[in-house]
Amino acid sequence: AGCLQRCLGRRLHPAPSAHRASSAVRRDFERREPYNYLQVAFFKLKKLDQAVSAAHTFFVANPQHLQMREDIEKYRRMSGVKSDSFRDLEATPHWEAYEAGVQHYDADEYLQAVARLEESLTEALSAVEECRALCEGPWEDEDEEEEMQPGLYEAIAAHYIQVLKCRQQCVLEVATKPGRISATEDFIPSHLDLLQFAYNQVGNQTVAAECAASYLLFYPTDEPMLEKMKQYRTELGEDTAVTARQNIQHYVQRSLMEKKLIYYAVEHLGETFNDPDLWTPDELIPENLKEKYREDQEKQKQETLDVEDRAKRGPLPYEGVAVTMDSHQMNGTQRVVFDRVLTESECKDLLRLTKAAGEAGDGYRARRSPHTPHERFEGLTVLKAVQLAQNGDVEWRDAKLLLQASEKSRKIIESYFAPGKKLHFSFTHLVCRTAVDGQQEGRMDLSHPVHADNCLLDPEGQECWKEPPAYVYRDYSGILYLNDDFQGGGLFFTEMDTVTVTAEVHPKCGRLVAFSSGKENPHGVWAVSRGRRCAIALWYTHSREHAEQERVKAEELMEQRSVEQDWSDGEKRQGTDHSSRSSSKPPVPDSGTKPANRRQKPGSDRKQHPKVLRARDEL
């Protein structure tokens, strides 16, 4: 302690303790916040190259920062800004070397790959050591409200375990690229795996065997690597000693000893621990903790995916629409509930359209549901709705609203889950499920059994097979509810066993539930026991070749209707102008008549959609 005080005193005058940053300041530096201020200051000082470097450095760690993205684009358009000014001032040597090494490896340039991967491994291990040294800081009390103060031995143990846990997490810090949420799995072992293959390709079996032996310290039962070791021993001769690298031996042994101490504290002192390594041997974990350890690992992985999902999301494209439940609140991944997508009057208009579905629907026509004999099922596609409007069976504005409501849902889901990546409609279905009177007593089945939308669910095998007849091209699903005046009919999500319910969604007008279509989201619908439940069922795909063709046809018919309406209105206006020419008043320009029919939505992609559907003002 005295040695440290003298050292710090020489480097940081006057009192070393005055220089300890708060956790908030440390977080700001981890997020590179100072560079956000620096780029503004440099810009004001007209030091453009330094401003660009500061902006780029901040943006690398904060790729979702919209204002900085705009600033970067402005800098790119400015004359006098050098291209090499767009550099990361906080770039870590191991990441630069690692990415270059992997690129050479993928290009079969093994000699260059070996050099860069060796550099990356050396720098990564050095970064781990530096991080570990910084763990020996002050005690940070995680439970400040604790009334009982620990005694001497408890305090020493608690602080030491905190240091050990911090040291264990260092590999995650080193393996996490700036701007990313999750670390690269098995960062250190993966270097050795790549190196053994690359050295073998360049004919250096001695070092290849050394790398393989080092890898086996992490995964001693890995069969492919054990086979490679046999091959190397045969090629080098049985008498040739093959040993793991000394620095890797030290790394593994030290880590295992720390884990042993930490797990003892977890078992006997009430500590908690999220193990950062996939290679931790099972025998190191106490028996009573193994199941909890597996659950924690799965939960940690899911939370990381969820955070990454949130980080990737863009802003919602409509004001007033609100996220009321996200994946975390729904105990899953890639699930969300939006409210206020439709108004009450829009729900009523669409419910009026559902009456036509019962009378002239698209094949079901109020027959018994395909999923249960206790309900009637009515369905209407967008094309059928437009055709009914052509025949005068429904109002044009109601058919148009169906197209617009589903398009609004698509834009919301696209912006939330897949910003920058086009989602196409796969299928759109206005559906109602009605409880059959006299058929509900003793009912045990569901309105729609548990399933996944793009794979065949196998609950016993805990698998979901992505093969026909499943709609394997579907990527996201949505349900836009129109009413809540019925009993039952709620959506629920389950585990892969189809039995363990993880979340429920209660329908109401304007509520949109959206989720990814894969095995991560098995779902079903509770029985509708009284009344009539109506909703727009929506499925989306990133695959353009699987886009909904009926929708394209429906949009063309709707556009044709609008053109005819414009032509009819134009003729009426011409007749009015002609009849008023004898009047003493000058003709008034008719620019205010039906502006919506002249309007084109900005940013419409005419290459993808020759016929552009105009947006309704209410939406």
Side-chain angles (χ1 to χ4, degrees):
C3 176
L4 282 169
Q5 287 291 319
R6 287 194 299 275
C7 181
L8 289 169
R10 284 197 300 269
R11 295 289 297 274
L12 305 170
H13 300 286
S17 60
H19 297 276
R20 284 184 176 141
S22 67
S23 57
V25 170
R26 291 203 302 271
R27 276 197 301 273
D28 281 350
F29 271 80
E30 286 166 7
R31 290 195 289 252
R32 303 187 180 183
E33 284 292 343
Y35 288 100
N36 197 358
Y37 293 92
L38 278 171
Q39 74 103 7
V40 176
F42 281 131
F43 182 77
K44 297 282 187 186
L45 293 168
K46 295 184 169 51
K47 295 182 178 181
L48 273 185
D49 289 330
Q50 288 163 286
V52 169
S53 296
H56 183 76
T57 302
F58 176 81
F59 188 63
V60 165
N62 300 275
Q64 302 304 319
H65 197 284
L66 298 178
Q67 183 58 53
M68 191 60 78
R69 180 177 294 178
E70 289 180 15
D71 290 348
I72 291 280
E73 289 304 316
K74 288 175 187 174
Y75 285 132
R76 291 191 190 281
R77 293 193 294 269
M78 285 181 183
S79 59
V81 174
K82 300 170 189 171
S83 59
D84 58 1
S85 295
F86 292 91
R87 66 182 188 276
D88 183 4
L89 301 173
E90 293 284 335
T92 50
H94 68 273
W95 268 110
E96 286 187 338
Y98 179 74
E99 291 186 326
V102 170
Q103 284 176 1
H104 288 306
Y105 183 93
D106 290 339
D108 297 339
E109 299 166 353
Y110 296 112
L111 208 55
Q112 297 94 321
V114 160
R116 298 314 303 270
L117 287 170
E118 286 284 17
E119 180 188 347
S120 172
L121 181 57
T122 301
E123 293 289 352
L125 291 171
S126 175
V128 167
E129 293 306 311
E130 187 174 329
C131 171
R132 287 171 60 86
L134 292 172
C135 286
E136 297 175 11
W139 162 254
E140 293 181 7
D141 193 354
E142 296 172 359
D143 188 7
E144 295 178 358
E145 296 180 3
E146 187 178 351
E147 292 180 5
M148 284 285 292
Q149 293 298 317
L152 173 64
Y153 300 113
E154 292 95 331
I156 293 170
H159 195 168
Y160 184 52
I161 291 299
Q162 186 180 87
V163 171
L164 292 178
K165 289 197 287 188
C166 174
R167 288 174 177 173
Q168 284 283 301
Q169 297 300 316
C170 280
V171 69
L172 290 185
E173 184 176 315
V174 171
T176 303
K177 190 178 176 183
R180 300 285 174 84
I181 302 296
S182 58
T184 301
E185 287 185 347
D186 275 345
F187 192 59
I188 303 299
S190 69
H191 277 78
L192 298 164
D193 190 16
L194 295 172
L195 280 168
Q196 73 84 18
F197 186 85
Y199 273 118
N200 188 36
Q201 293 301 305
V202 299
N204 193 339
Q205 276 73 33
T206 302
V207 184
E210 178 188 87
C211 292
S214 302
Y215 179 87
L216 286 168
L217 292 177
F218 295 95
Y219 292 104
T221 59
D222 186 85
E223 291 186 8
M225 197 61 78
L226 288 170
E227 285 297 319
K228 293 296 291 182
M229 277 301 295
K230 281 184 185 177
Q231 178 188 325
Y232 292 139
R233 289 186 196 282
T234 304
E235 292 173 0
L236 296 171
E238 293 295 333
D239 297 333
T240 305
V242 177
T243 56
R245 294 184 175 187
Q246 194 169 353
N247 61 345
I248 301 298
Q249 290 183 45
H250 174 68
Y251 177 92
V252 172
Q253 288 167 1
R254 181 181 63 186
S255 184
L256 289 174
M257 176 56 75
E258 289 173 351
K259 289 177 192 293
K260 189 174 180 181
L261 289 167
I262 292 169
Y263 278 119
Y264 182 92
V266 170
E267 188 176 15
H268 299 287
L269 304 179
E271 290 283 349
T272 58
F273 179 49
N274 287 325
D275 198 319
D277 296 310
L278 298 175
W279 56 268
T280 302
D282 258 7
E283 58 268 20
L284 203 65
I285 305 165
E287 281 300 325
N288 61 333
L289 295 178
K290 282 184 180 177
E291 186 60 37
K292 186 178 184 302
Y293 168 74
R294 280 189 284 269
E295 289 175 4
D296 288 345
Q297 288 283 86
E298 189 61 37
K299 185 179 178 183
Q300 185 181 4
K301 188 174 179 182
Q302 184 169 303
E303 284 175 356
T304 301
L305 286 171
D306 199 41
V307 170
E308 283 185 319
D309 289 340
R310 283 201 294 273
K312 284 188 253 182
R313 288 167 197 153
L316 297 180
Y318 297 93
E319 288 184 7
V321 176
V323 175
T324 49
M325 282 199 290
D326 60 15
S327 297
H328 183 71
Q329 293 164 303
M330 297 171 76
N331 305 311
T333 182
Q334 299 205 77
R335 304 172 182 173
V336 65
V337 175
F338 305 94
D339 276 338
R340 300 197 294 274
V341 176
L342 296 175
T343 65
E344 291 288 343
S345 64
E346 288 165 344
C347 286
K348 286 177 182 176
D349 290 347
L350 287 167
L351 284 169
R352 186 168 61 231
L353 190 61
T354 64
K355 292 178 182 177
E359 297 162 6
D362 54 9
Y364 292 110
R365 294 184 189 149
R367 296 175 183 172
R368 293 293 171 97
S369 166
H371 305 296
T372 171
H374 304 289
E375 295 173 18
R376 289 195 309 276
F377 187 89
E378 300 135 15
L380 193 67
T381 64
V382 287
L383 180 58
K384 186 66 178 178
V386 173
Q387 289 171 341
L388 288 171
Q390 277 185 317
N391 297 337
D393 296 323
V394 300
E395 291 187 32
W396 274 103
R397 69 188 187 98
D398 293 345
K400 187 176 181 180
L401 181 58
L402 176 59
L403 281 166
Q404 291 170 332
S406 52
E407 171 63 6
K408 183 178 184 180
S409 301
R410 186 196 69 78
K411 285 186 175 179
I412 291 169
I413 293 170
E414 183 185 79
S415 69
Y416 189 82
F417 283 125
K421 194 174 180 184
K422 178 74 173 177
L423 272 184
H424 305 275
F425 285 95
S426 167
F427 189 49
T428 310
H429 210 196
L430 176 60
V431 293
C432 293
R433 304 166 189 270
T434 307
V436 177
D437 292 338
Q439 295 285 327
Q440 303 304 312
E441 191 174 346
R443 180 178 174 183
M444 300 292 288
D445 63 350
L446 297 169
S447 180
H448 199 142
V450 176
H451 63 285
D453 284 342
N454 70 7
C455 53
L456 304 174
L457 203 57
D458 175 12
E460 293 191 9
Q462 293 285 292
E463 191 50 81
C464 201
W465 306 104
K466 213 164 182 180
E467 59 189 37
Y471 300 102
V472 296
Y473 47 83
R474 289 179 176 172
D475 295 299
Y476 290 95
S477 309
I479 304 169
L480 179 58
Y481 296 107
L482 303 181
N483 66 322
D484 60 0
D485 53 344
F486 53 88
Q487 281 185 0
L491 181 77
F492 63 94
F493 293 90
T494 73
E495 299 280 14
M496 289 278 283
D497 60 7
T498 73
V499 175
T500 308
V501 175
T502 57
E504 294 187 58
V505 180
H506 301 289
K508 73 172 187 177
C509 165
R511 173 166 286 177
L512 171 65
V513 57
F515 47 93
S516 55
S517 303
K519 65 180 183 180
E520 64 279 0
N521 283 318
H523 58 282
V525 179
W526 297 119
V528 179
S529 56
R530 183 174 64 80
R532 186 168 180 252
R533 169 197 185 270
C534 294
I536 303 174
L538 304 151
W539 292 273
Y540 304 97
T541 177
H542 286 307
S543 171
R544 195 170 177 180
E545 59 264 32
H546 290 106
E548 185 180 16
Q549 295 306 306
E550 279 201 0
R551 187 178 190 89
V552 175
K553 179 66 174 171
E555 289 174 350
E556 287 174 353
L557 292 173
M558 189 64 72
E559 183 70 8
Q560 182 182 332
R561 155 77 179 178
S562 297
V563 170
E564 290 170 357
Q565 192 70 37
D566 286 357
W567 182 80
S568 174
D569 291 343
E571 276 203 328
K572 288 177 184 177
R573 287 197 297 274
Q574 285 178 8
T576 304
D577 290 344
H578 181 75
S579 64
S580 63
R581 279 178 188 168
S582 59
S583 170
S584 59
K585 293 183 180 180
V588 178
D590 198 12
S591 60
T593 306
K594 287 194 176 291
N597 291 338
R598 303 281 192 272
R599 214 177 284 153
Q600 167 108 9
K601 281 178 73 175
S604 295
D605 190 347
R606 285 195 169 274
K607 289 182 182 176
Q608 291 186 14
H609 303 286
K611 304 293 184 183
V612 179
L613 182 66
R614 293 183 304 282
R616 189 177 179 211
D617 287 343
E618 292 89 342
L619 291 168

